[in-house]
Amino acid sequence: MNDMEQVEELATETDKRLSVHEAICAQRYEGIQARFDDGSKRMNKIEYLLYGVIVCVLFGPGVAGELIKKVLGL
């Protein structure tokens, strides 16, 4: 086997390994992106809950109780 054939074989092997690596990274990236999207939804829920708690603390327990009764329809 001459030097040129060795170089071509090495290049082919490197291309294969790089293609596999890119495919694995693409799958991982999709998983990471899905987790970020799920986390974003959870953070929005937490944010709204915190706003509610802040309002309850600022206006006091009586107003908070009345607000909860109105929201729940009691």
Side-chain angles (χ1 to χ4, degrees), residues 23-37:
I24 291 171
C25 285
Q27 288 176 339
R28 287 180 181 167
Y29 179 77
E30 287 175 11
I32 291 169
Q33 191 62 42
R35 291 179 83 184
F36 276 142
D37 293 340

Side-chain angles (χ1 to χ4, degrees), residues 1-52:
M1 190 183 279
N2 64 25
D3 289 340
M4 191 61 172
E5 289 174 347
Q6 288 177 341
V7 169
E8 287 177 5
E9 184 178 324
L10 182 60
T12 302
E13 180 64 27
T14 302
D15 286 341
K16 287 179 189 176
R17 292 179 61 206
L18 184 59
S19 294
V20 169
H21 174 75
E22 288 175 344
I24 291 171
C25 285
Q27 288 176 339
R28 287 180 181 167
Y29 179 77
E30 287 175 11
I32 291 169
Q33 191 62 42
R35 291 179 83 184
F36 276 142
D37 293 340
D38 292 342
S40 178
K41 291 175 187 174
R42 289 182 64 216
M43 290 303 289
N44 284 337
K45 290 178 186 177
I46 292 170
E47 181 181 5
Y48 293 132
L49 287 172
L50 285 174
Y51 289 146

Side-chain angles (χ1 to χ4, degrees), residues 39-74:
S40 178
K41 291 175 187 174
R42 289 182 64 216
M43 290 303 289
N44 284 337
K45 290 178 186 177
I46 292 170
E47 181 181 5
Y48 293 132
L49 287 172
L50 285 174
Y51 289 146
V53 168
I54 290 169
V55 167
C56 291
V57 168
L58 290 176
F59 291 118
V63 174
E66 292 299 318
L67 179 64
I68 292 172
K69 285 180 185 177
K70 288 181 182 180
V71 169
L72 296 177
L74 299 176

